């Protein structure tokens, strides 16, 4: 055992109090305060978290039944999620006091990373790129950037002149995907739920920004892309996916990053035109970022270069303090925040 000489005296973590029967509520969470961890076993790391990423997919684990995606979050246990922290104490080789670390023990002020935590969700020591903000290692240079890069650049792979549709384009991953499609030379039609987000995506280079809340999104997409779309980057499922299938050119590619419209309350609608995937011989590809973890250093370097060259911008909403997490996470499904939602501790 190794005694930890110093550190914040109190640790706070967010726990799940109850599985929400339908729509998530703030009271489904509780703040648990306890003395900060004081000792480490061999192979462990103690971190003081500085930034937490609130990711919509955590909602999929707040259900009574396990999903094939990841096991449910046990009631009363701390919630996991991506975070950045500085090493307070290390008994793990390759990590020293003061290192910046990307890991998945978020939703808490202090994290003890166990010896058996390895791989994509284990700790990654960050080699800081010159001129980049710390928070960027959760966004463009972190999991969000890798997700947008894999989906747009590796899988959808637009050609110059292709018409590409991106949904939830005012969110963290969507806003990066829009810019990567523009860099590839595509014409980009984006959709978002608020005027502020539509202004953002137009400012990031999208050619058209559609209001996802219009009664007939398929008709709006047809007006924006009369010749049809070559590719669709899907963050939403539901009406956006239906509109994309309806407007897809024969042989078009659909890359499924997520289906956020079905996460909270599971009441989102499903596309009614799935047979058109057959009729138009569309390619539909789902993916998980963790399967591409080895690309993280390459993507970090490429995204940092694009940011330094002024070709890519990171848009985030920052809320402060661990106490703000429950309200912030609930509001994520109301489309309140622009860009990636981060908590600064
Ligand atoms: N495949 C993977 O491995 C992987 C990894 C990470 C994330 N993802 C997925 O990527 C997607 C985007 O994640 P993110 O981190 O970028 O999210 P984010 O920054 O939190 O943005 C989510 C966006 O979703 C929109 N939204 C919320 N509820 C909606 C609804 N019912 N219908 C339509 N839009 C809705 C909101 O915009 P509006 O104003 O438009 O409502 C919001 O801007 C999610 O589906 C997530 O699960 C996938």
């Amino acid at each position: 055992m190794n005694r930890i000489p110093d550190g914040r005296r109190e640790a706070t973590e967010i726990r799940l109090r109850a599985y929400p029967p339908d729509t998530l509520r703030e009271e489904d969470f509780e703040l648990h305060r306890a003395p900060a961890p004081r000792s480490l076993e061999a192979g462990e790391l103690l971190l003081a978290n500085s930034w937490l990423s609130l990711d919509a997919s955590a909602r999929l684990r707040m259900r009574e039944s396990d999903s094939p995606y990841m096991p449910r979050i046990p009631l009363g246990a701390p919630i996991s999620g991506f975070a950045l922290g500085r090493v307070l104490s290390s008994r793990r080789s390759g990590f020293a006091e003061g290192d910046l670390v990307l890991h998945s023990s978020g939703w808490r002020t202090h994290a003890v990373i166990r010896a058996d935590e390895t791989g994509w969700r284990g700790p990654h020591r960050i080699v800081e790129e010159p001129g980049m903000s710390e928070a960027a290692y959760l966004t463009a240079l972190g999991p969000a950037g890798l997700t947008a890069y894999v989906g747009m650049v590796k899988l959808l792979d637009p050609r110059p002149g292709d018409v590409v549709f991106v949904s939830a384009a005012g969110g963290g991953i969507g806003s990066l995907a829009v810019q990567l499609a523009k860099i590839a030379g595509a014409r980009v039609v984006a959709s978002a739920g608020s005027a502020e987000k539509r202004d953002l995506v137009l400012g990031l280079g999208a050619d058209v920004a559609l209001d996802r809340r219009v009664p007939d999104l398929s008709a709006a997409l047809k007006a924006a892309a009369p010749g049809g779309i070559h590719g669709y980057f899907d963050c939403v499922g539901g009406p956006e996916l239906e509109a994309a299938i309806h407007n897809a050119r024969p042989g078009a590619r659909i890359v499924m990053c997520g289906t956020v419209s079905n996460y909270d309350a599971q009441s989102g609608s499903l596309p009614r035109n799935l047979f058109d995937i057959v009729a138009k011989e569309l390619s539909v590809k789902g993916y998980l970022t963790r399967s591409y973890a080895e690309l993280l250093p390459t993507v970090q370097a490429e995204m940092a270069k694009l940011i330094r060259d002024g070709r890519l911008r990171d848009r985030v909403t920052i809320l402060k303090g661990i106490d703000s997490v429950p309200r912030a996470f609930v509001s994520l499904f109301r489309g309140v925040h622009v860009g990636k939602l981060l908590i600064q501790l």
Side-chain angles (χ1 to χ4, degrees):
M1 296 270 245
N2 178 37
R3 301 287 300 167
I4 294 159
D6 203 0
R8 282 178 243 164
R9 298 255 172 263
E10 191 182 62
T12 305
E13 61 189 28
I14 313 289
R15 297 178 171 188
L16 191 62
R17 190 206 302 267
Y19 294 112
D22 189 36
T23 307
L24 192 66
R25 306 153 304 177
E26 280 179 55
E27 56 267 31
D28 295 322
F29 300 102
E30 62 190 353
L31 271 72
H32 177 83
R33 301 188 204 277
R38 300 301 299 162
S39 57
L40 290 180
E41 304 284 347
E44 289 185 338
L45 266 182
L46 175 68
L47 306 168
N49 282 337
S50 45
W51 294 91
L52 311 178
S53 176
L54 296 192
D55 301 325
S57 60
R59 178 67 182 87
L60 294 169
R61 296 182 288 127
M62 296 173 186
R63 292 183 181 158
E64 277 181 74
S65 52
D66 286 329
S67 84
Y69 170 55
M70 266 205 259
R72 70 188 151 154
I73 297 162
L75 292 184
I79 297 168
S80 57
F82 283 114
L84 287 168
R86 293 269 172 197
V87 176
L88 285 177
S89 182
S90 171
R91 294 197 68 197
R92 188 167 179 137
S93 67
F95 294 86
E97 207 177 300
D99 280 352
L100 182 63
V101 176
L102 169 69
H103 61 97
S104 56
S105 296
W107 294 65
R108 67 200 86 176
T109 56
H110 295 67
V112 174
I113 311 291
R114 292 189 320 270
D116 63 356
E117 291 183 69
T118 56
W120 171 235
R121 301 192 79 81
H124 302 263
R125 190 172 68 80
I126 300 290
V127 179
E128 293 181 63
E129 295 273 348
M132 296 297 122
S133 70
E134 197 176 285
Y137 294 97
L138 277 179
T139 54
L141 276 58
L146 181 58
T147 304
Y149 183 93
V150 168
M152 184 56 75
V153 177
K154 276 197 79 70
L155 302 178
L156 205 144
D157 190 20
R159 307 283 101 194
D162 278 0
V163 180
V164 171
F165 177 40
V166 179
S167 59
I173 292 163
S175 59
L176 293 170
V178 164
Q179 297 174 83
L180 292 172
K182 285 306 295 178
I183 289 167
R187 179 169 184 272
V188 176
V189 180
S191 67
S194 71
E196 190 185 4
K197 286 181 190 163
R198 291 192 291 280
D199 286 347
L200 166 74
V201 295
L202 291 172
L204 295 176
D207 297 274
V208 183
L210 302 178
D211 179 357
R212 75 164 174 89
R213 297 176 198 274
V214 294
D216 190 346
L217 189 61
S218 274
L221 182 55
K222 187 169 183 53
I229 60 171
H230 299 81
Y232 172 46
F233 183 87
D234 191 13
C235 289
V236 172
E240 279 85 338
L241 179 55
E242 182 172 301
I245 293 170
H246 187 74
N247 285 282
R249 295 164 62 97
R253 298 176 301 286
I254 296 179
V255 171
M256 304 249 353
C257 175
T259 63
V260 68
S261 66
N262 297 109
Y263 294 177
D264 197 22
Q266 297 176 266
S267 54
S269 63
L270 293 172
R272 293 162 297 182
N273 53 356
L274 291 177
F275 183 73
D276 286 1
I277 294 174
V278 180
K280 296 186 192 183
E281 300 186 284
L282 307 182
S283 304
V284 180
K285 169 76 180 144
Y287 72 104
L288 289 174
T289 308
R290 64 184 182 220
S291 304
Y292 299 85
E294 78 287 353
L295 292 181
L296 184 63
T298 313
V299 171
Q300 265 171 358
E302 282 197 33
M303 299 294 244
K305 182 167 182 340
L306 289 171
I307 292 173
R308 273 196 295 272
D309 292 348
R311 301 180 71 202
L312 189 102
R313 278 190 286 147
D314 220 357
R315 182 62 204 264
V316 293
T317 294
I318 296 171
L319 300 178
K320 297 210 171 162
I322 189 81
D323 295 16
S324 67
V325 169
R327 175 167 299 179
F329 190 67
V330 169
S331 61
L332 196 150
F333 300 96
R334 317 284 174 268
V336 174
H337 308 294
V338 178
K340 189 77 205 152
L341 177 56
L342 299 181
I343 307 293
Q344 186 175 24
L345 298 181

